[in-house]
Amino acid sequence: MTAAPAPDQRLRLRAWQQEALQRYHAGDEIRRDFLVTATPGAGKTTFALALAASLLARRVIDRIVVVCPTDHLRTQWAQAAERAGLSIDPTLTNAVGPVRADSLGYITTYAQVAMKPQLHAARVNNKRTLVILDEVHHAGDGLSWGDAVAEAFGGASRRLCLTGTPFRTRPDELIPFVRYANDGAGGQESSADYNYGYREALRDGVVRPVVFAAYTGTARWRNSAGEVVAASLTEAATKQTEALAWKTALNPKGQWVAHVIAAMDERITHLRRGGVGDAAGIVLASDQEDAREYAGIVEQVTGEKPVLILSDDPKASDKITAFTNGTERIAVCVRMVSEGVDVPRAACLAWMTSYRTPLFFAQAVGRVVRARGPHESATVFLPAVRPLLTLAAALEEDRNHVIPPPAAASESLDIDPVEREAADRVEYEALDADAQFAHLLHGGRAVVATAREPVELSEDDEHFLGIPGLLSPEQTAQLLSDRDSAARRRATSVADAPPSQEVASWRAAGELRREVNKLVAIYAARAGMPHAQVHAQIRRAVGGPPSASATAELLEQRRDHLLLLLER
């Protein structure tokens, strides 16, 4: 095996990066194409720069070209290259012909390449060039981007493809310079030359362990017939009902959003008291309109104005940089911080979008897993709906993902097109949604709090519990459950005006529903019965529809019946 040349000493390589570099240089084979799949936060940028430095040292290449998804990532790549002793220009545009003589190369975007592939081909073919294709799955985003990438960089001396998540594509949409294998289902799977998954990164302490705090609740909306429909996020009977309940929960006018923001804010407070003094959170919205509404809710709940980062803001890139290096608690965004952006102090993510492709989920969660020290953990707050719970449970698996169809020109990130069309055909008016901590997902299993009375924690207790890494998943679930009432009070306090009689009645029913659920949990634990069986027993005794649709009067009767059972 040929030893890999040592990169610039300013690059401190992790074990996986050194191993990948060794593999690249192994044997006498000239590796014109090399694909690395490394979990978000593992350090793909550092590996790529180390490889570039080693190829420069061996006089194999004379130029470096980096292609990335966004303009902000151009700046991020340039800063990382500068730290590694490499001068790569992030400002070169299509309007400028030759590469500047005082730089080793330039950084561009897939969109710029698609506009003038011949220009980039001329730049690349002019010198022996290493082309680094960051998040190469973007070459399959449609609009002939794949063809443009092939035309622009087909003549490059070396090509390095990077992705945070394995992917598969249809046979007629293969991404250039990626080796594929049949997936057995009519598609093509990417075949990486080096893989470094989440499990390996977790084992090596490269990324933080992630816990998913799932929040259920009952959403309520009015349909085209004027009927009020209520459904639980956790127990929706059909996909359409689930989609509408999810959509209602994310409506800024309800209580669900404010409740979850309050819960995330408390977690940030615990982290900061526990020694992570600059810990921060990210709220991920579906579109810019919701993002602006959520920013207002964050300010009302926390008393601090969040950083609002939107793609149509010319200062968006500067805001990301300032948030990365600052002390603000929360940033609200749509896609600007969802892929590739490095914000190591972000340790919490509130998933307030109905978008749920596996690729996007992995990339977005990747924004809060980058470890800076031992005993750190990341917390993702999300709706307790089946699609997201499935993705969360599978995070620690190495999965291949189908690249979704290209997004529309706007920043809207809705549910998949088929379900969106079905949901949009329904005449619908969101009324309200409450929130309640459901369970914690950790290591692929659901961890629920034990059924007991909430314990008021002293300031010293909260300080101790906030120290990252000291809580077991069970203790974290119990803490979130115990603090749920505090989050609800904070959420209720942000209302701009007193609720209507109808909404007030609904919220009263919500409190009764939570009380019934709590009594069911206590009775189930005492009798050794599943919760669903206890609910069915109570419905037989008292009658009426499921709790999500039950009136306040009916819920009172069920509560009283449960209290009688518990007194026996």
Side-chain angles (χ1 to χ4, degrees):
M1 176 182 292
T2 304
D8 192 293
Q9 293 301 310
R10 283 168 283 194
L11 287 170
R12 299 177 60 184
L13 298 186
R14 293 167 173 153
W16 82 263
Q17 295 161 335
Q18 295 174 5
E19 184 181 56
L21 201 60
Q22 291 283 352
R23 183 172 300 181
Y24 183 91
H25 289 293
D28 299 324
E29 178 186 0
I30 297 176
R31 294 185 180 273
R32 192 175 182 193
D33 290 301
F34 197 78
L35 171 63
V36 172
T37 299
T39 192
K44 294 184 294 296
T45 300
T46 298
F47 166 75
L49 293 171
L51 176 61
S54 70
L55 292 176
L56 286 168
R58 294 181 62 159
R59 302 185 186 279
V60 172
I61 61 168
D62 308 300
R63 174 167 290 169
I64 304 167
V65 174
V66 179
V67 188
C68 56
T70 66
D71 282 330
H72 178 76
L73 290 179
R74 296 171 73 182
T75 302
Q76 192 168 291
W77 266 96
Q79 292 169 342
E82 184 179 5
R83 291 192 295 269
L86 303 173
S87 176
I88 310 176
D89 184 3
T91 65
L92 191 67
T93 67
N94 287 349
V96 179
V99 179
R100 296 183 177 93
D102 59 349
S103 68
L104 287 169
Y106 66 97
I107 306 167
T108 187
T109 65
Y110 287 98
Q112 285 190 314
V113 173
M115 286 189 285
K116 286 192 175 181
Q118 294 178 341
L119 171 64
H120 294 274
R123 293 171 177 172
V124 165
N125 297 337
N126 188 40
K127 286 190 175 183
R128 295 175 302 171
T129 302
L130 167 67
V131 176
I132 300 171
L133 297 164
D134 187 23
E135 304 298 354
V136 70
H137 54 267
H138 281 279
D141 279 354
L143 305 177
S144 301
W145 283 16
D147 293 340
V149 167
E151 180 180 355
F153 306 123
S157 299
R158 301 287 177 99
R159 292 177 292 259
L160 172 65
C161 296
L162 305 173
T163 183
T165 314
F167 54 85
R168 65 177 184 268
T169 56
R170 292 182 285 269
D172 58 342
E173 296 179 353
L174 299 184
I175 293 173
F177 318 131
V178 173
R179 188 172 69 253
Y180 287 91
N182 291 327
D183 66 358
Q188 297 287 309
E189 293 180 308
S190 62
S191 180
D193 297 282
Y194 188 87
N195 277 298
Y196 188 66
Y198 176 75
R199 282 178 294 181
E200 290 80 12
L202 193 60
R203 175 199 64 204
D204 296 341
V206 171
V207 296
R208 299 165 175 147
V210 182
V211 292
F212 293 90
Y215 281 75
T216 186
T218 302
R220 183 168 160 274
W221 65 92
R222 183 176 286 109
N223 62 21
S224 58
E227 301 169 330
V228 174
V229 180
S232 166
L233 285 173
T234 312
E235 301 169 358
T238 67
K239 286 187 176 181
Q240 181 173 305
T241 301
E242 180 179 65
L244 289 171
W246 189 353
K247 182 178 179 180
T248 303
L250 298 180
N251 190 300
K253 296 178 181 178
Q255 294 292 304
W256 194 94
V257 169
H259 186 124
V260 174
I261 286 174
M264 184 176 78
D265 184 60
E266 287 209 19
R267 180 58 182 152
I268 294 170
T269 297
H270 294 155
L271 289 171
R272 291 192 170 199
R273 288 177 178 174
V276 187
D278 61 349
I282 295 172
V283 175
L284 187 60
S286 291
D287 54 46
Q288 293 193 7
E289 182 179 355
D290 279 353
R292 293 186 179 95
E293 295 265 16
Y294 293 166
I297 294 172
V298 170
E299 185 172 6
Q300 289 178 297
V301 169
T302 67
E304 295 184 20
K305 190 173 183 179
V307 179
L308 179 61
I309 303 171
L310 303 176
S311 62
D312 60 0
D313 183 350
K315 297 181 180 179
S317 184
D318 292 338
K319 285 184 176 181
I320 294 174
T321 301
F323 181 71
T324 300
N325 300 320
T327 59
E328 296 90 347
R329 293 173 71 88
I330 295 175
V332 181
C333 63
V334 181
R335 284 185 291 187
M336 290 294 292
V337 190
S338 64
E339 183 176 61
V341 175
D342 184 9
V343 188
R345 70 187 189 92
C348 296
L349 174 69
W351 191 275
M352 295 189 177
T353 172
S354 50
Y355 202 60
R356 46 78 178 280
T357 65
L359 187 61
F360 185 84
F361 188 83
Q363 292 286 355
V365 173
R367 297 316 99 213
V368 296
V369 301
R370 188 182 295 271
R372 296 185 298 177
H375 308 302
E376 290 186 345
S377 64
T379 307
V380 178
F381 297 80
L382 76 171
V385 290
R386 287 169 292 184
L388 294 182
L389 296 179
T390 300
L391 293 174
L395 182 70
E396 295 179 17
E397 299 178 10
D398 291 328
R399 296 166 56 89
N400 287 343
H401 304 310
V402 178
I403 294 175
S410 70
E411 276 199 318
S412 177
L413 296 178
D414 207 343
I415 55 179
D416 70 62
V418 175
E419 291 179 20
R420 179 176 62 229
E421 183 180 355
D424 288 346
R425 283 200 303 266
V426 177
E427 291 188 30
Y428 153 95
E429 177 193 358
L431 296 178
D432 199 7
D434 60 13
Q436 181 179 2
F437 174 71
H439 57 261
L440 199 75
L441 276 172
H442 177 76
R445 65 189 179 95
V447 182
V448 298
T450 57
R452 63 171 173 80
E453 289 295 322
V455 176
E456 289 297 326
L457 302 174
S458 69
E459 186 173 341
D460 290 339
D461 289 335
E462 289 193 350
H463 177 83
F464 174 78
L465 290 172
I467 299 176
L470 291 186
L471 288 181
S472 68
E474 289 76 13
Q475 290 170 319
T476 303
Q478 193 66 58
L479 174 62
L480 289 170
S481 178
D482 287 349
R483 299 298 297 162
D484 204 42
S485 58
R488 186 172 300 109
R489 286 194 298 271
R490 294 178 69 187
T492 304
S493 69
V494 306
D496 292 329
S500 66
Q501 183 176 356
E502 184 182 24
V503 171
S505 174
W506 161 249
R507 290 180 181 170
E511 291 295 335
L512 283 166
R513 190 176 297 109
R514 283 185 287 272
E515 189 174 355
V516 167
N517 289 339
K518 184 177 178 180
L519 293 172
V520 165
I522 295 172
Y523 183 81
R526 180 182 298 180
M529 298 168 59
H531 289 202
Q533 187 175 340
V534 178
H535 277 292
Q537 178 180 323
I538 301 304
R539 284 184 64 189
R540 285 194 299 270
V542 178
S547 290
S549 304
T551 64
E553 181 180 1
L554 186 59
L555 290 168
E556 285 182 356
Q557 295 175 18
R558 291 179 180 174
R559 178 198 61 189
D560 294 344
H561 183 80
L562 281 161
L563 288 172
L564 287 173
L565 290 177
L566 290 170
E567 289 175 358
R568 293 176 183 173

